[in-house]
Amino acid sequence: MTTVNEIQPIVMNDKVYGHWIGNKLELNWEAYLLPIPEFIQLLKDANVPQGEMFIVADKYLKLRSEGAPERAVLQRLWGNASLTYPTGFKPLDDMLGGGLHAGLTVIAAPPGRGKSTLALQIGRSLSKQEFGTIYICNDMADSELMAKMMSGISYELTKGKGGWTAREILSGEEHLRENAAFQKVASLYLTETKHLFIETGHAARDVDALGYLIDGYAALFAASPTYEHPPVIILDYLQNVQVDGKGSEREQVNAVVRMLQERIEQHGIPVLAISSVSRDKYGQPLRLDSLKESGLIEYATSVALALQFRAVHSEGYDEKKERSKPEQHMELYILKERFGETEHSLPVTFIPKYSTFLFNGVIHKSKPSAKIPKVKGIGAG
């Protein structure tokens, strides 16, 4: 199998126009929109052999004769960019207009609200639907991410009556190895995450390495007969990606967002990014400018969601009290929707002990009341 390291980008004027995947040439459709002199120069710079040159030249001429430049805008509107990736949780999909779309979707919350848990749950659900999903994490190890997902699965299998915590899974390997119920959890985890690829380490923390990683996966998916669509990228989390040569944290975040914008434009991919929140915004309803070093994030995102306690809108809000509850009544609140309405709220319940979110409510079209309903149901809609 071709690995990411065997993929070589084809670059001209600092823009990637395709890749060598082993000995196979894969050009992006943007390459065929180049003027003839630049297209020929691109092939020369890429050391395309004469035999392959005939093939790509013929394709270039054919696309030109069919009006490829004039159709470029249509391809963006109705090509890969038009794909919808349902999260698998109906209330959330209803709020997102069917699911995730090509573009940048951001989930923002203070620490301890379950941002990573929610992102992992969405990633696992996408994988169950056989959508290739790349979970890139710079905040936790692979084992921690796996343990959180298995904890959620164990809770689902008991229909909300118990399970194993992520801590118990990480520390009790010997004990659990012979446990039949846990073996069922592990088996289901392996089945449900066949299309979920976890990446941690340097590639998740450095902006250049991260961009190369996304390019590599996009190229592999384009060449793979298994996948019909580009992958979904989940980045956990945005503010922890470093950029050499950028001084302030805001400059670094802006550079990461610009890189993601370029990859979204180039590959037609959905990117779901986790964002932290400015410390002085922790105890109040979140706004778009509450995102830490928001800057370019405010303008580049297609959808921005706040994950917060529902009681934050009520008088006498006690954050410490809300965090102490075993079932935490929260909401996903739309801060920005480029093609839809804002200030919609979806009630969700967070079970921190078992790393699980329950989607059991309907969308509110205004700020929710302070009254908290009883939990109904335990699973995805």
Side-chain angles (χ1 to χ4, degrees), residues 210-272:
L210 176 59
Y212 180 70
L213 182 71
I214 294 172
D215 285 340
Y217 270 111
L220 283 174
F221 271 66
S224 170
T226 301
Y227 296 102
E228 298 179 13
H229 312 302
V232 177
I233 304 297
I234 300 179
L235 176 59
D236 181 9
Y237 66 98
L238 194 61
Q239 286 83 1
N240 208 28
V241 181
Q242 303 299 309
V243 184
D244 288 339
K246 300 294 182 182
S248 70
E249 189 170 2
R250 171 162 290 203
E251 289 177 329
Q252 298 216 6
V253 171
N254 285 346
V256 175
V257 172
R258 277 192 290 270
M259 182 277 291
L260 292 174
Q261 283 182 296
E262 291 172 1
R263 267 54 187 192
I264 290 166
E265 178 79 8
Q266 181 178 342
H267 304 303
I269 55 176
V271 175
L272 175 62

Side-chain angles (χ1 to χ4, degrees), residues 196-209:
L196 179 65
F197 304 86
I198 294 176
E199 294 283 349
T200 57
H202 175 71
R205 299 185 183 95
D206 176 81
V207 69
D208 292 330

Side-chain angles (χ1 to χ4, degrees), residues 112-381:
R113 300 298 192 272
K115 301 185 295 295
S116 296
T117 294
L118 179 60
L120 282 169
Q121 203 164 335
I122 291 172
R124 178 164 64 91
S125 180
L126 288 165
S127 174
K128 286 167 63 176
Q129 300 171 79
E130 300 186 359
F131 290 121
T133 306
I134 320 303
Y135 196 97
I136 304 170
C137 184
N138 47 41
D139 194 39
M140 284 182 281
D142 296 18
S143 57
E144 294 175 281
L145 299 171
M146 294 167 62
K148 285 174 74 72
M149 285 188 281
M150 285 193 282
S151 176
I153 291 171
S154 73
Y155 182 80
E156 293 168 11
L157 287 177
T158 65
K159 301 187 182 300
K161 297 179 181 178
W164 287 276
T165 67
R167 187 181 298 276
E168 288 170 340
I169 292 170
L170 285 171
S171 61
E173 182 180 351
E174 290 296 327
H175 169 69
L176 295 177
R177 190 173 294 169
E178 305 301 324
N179 187 301
F182 183 76
Q183 290 303 309
K184 187 174 181 180
V185 171
S187 177
L188 191 56
Y189 167 80
L190 293 173
T191 299
E192 293 185 349
T193 59
K194 283 183 179 179
H195 304 281
L196 179 65
F197 304 86
I198 294 176
E199 294 283 349
T200 57
H202 175 71
R205 299 185 183 95
D206 176 81
V207 69
D208 292 330
L210 176 59
Y212 180 70
L213 182 71
I214 294 172
D215 285 340
Y217 270 111
L220 283 174
F221 271 66
S224 170
T226 301
Y227 296 102
E228 298 179 13
H229 312 302
V232 177
I233 304 297
I234 300 179
L235 176 59
D236 181 9
Y237 66 98
L238 194 61
Q239 286 83 1
N240 208 28
V241 181
Q242 303 299 309
V243 184
D244 288 339
K246 300 294 182 182
S248 70
E249 189 170 2
R250 171 162 290 203
E251 289 177 329
Q252 298 216 6
V253 171
N254 285 346
V256 175
V257 172
R258 277 192 290 270
M259 182 277 291
L260 292 174
Q261 283 182 296
E262 291 172 1
R263 267 54 187 192
I264 290 166
E265 178 79 8
Q266 181 178 342
H267 304 303
I269 55 176
V271 175
L272 175 62
I274 301 302
S275 174
S276 55
V277 169
S278 298
R279 186 178 294 274
D280 60 341
K281 309 293 184 183
Y282 283 6
Q284 54 189 278
L286 298 180
R287 306 185 309 176
L288 199 55
D289 61 3
S290 302
L291 278 62
K292 190 174 183 182
E293 305 300 345
S294 57
L296 189 59
I297 303 175
E298 295 185 38
Y299 304 99
T301 53
S302 298
V303 180
L305 301 171
L307 180 60
Q308 58 192 4
F309 291 118
R310 295 184 67 202
V312 75
H313 302 288
S314 63
E315 293 184 11
Y317 168 62
D318 186 336
E319 183 173 325
K320 185 176 180 180
K321 178 181 177 182
E322 294 300 320
R323 291 191 64 173
S324 67
K325 295 178 179 179
E327 294 184 351
Q328 299 178 5
H329 300 290
M330 305 186 73
E331 66 174 359
L332 280 167
Y333 191 84
I334 296 183
L335 301 173
K336 177 182 178 183
E337 222 298 16
R338 184 166 287 167
F339 301 109
E341 298 179 84
T342 58
E343 297 189 354
H344 284 202
S345 171
L346 174 65
V348 294
T349 302
F350 180 34
I351 313 295
K353 182 176 181 179
Y354 296 111
S355 303
T356 297
F357 274 89
L358 313 180
F359 294 82
N360 42 44
V362 295
I363 300 168
H364 294 282
K365 296 187 178 181
S366 60
K367 290 183 179 179
S369 65
K371 186 177 179 181
I372 306 300
K374 294 181 179 179
V375 176
K376 295 180 180 179
I378 64 155

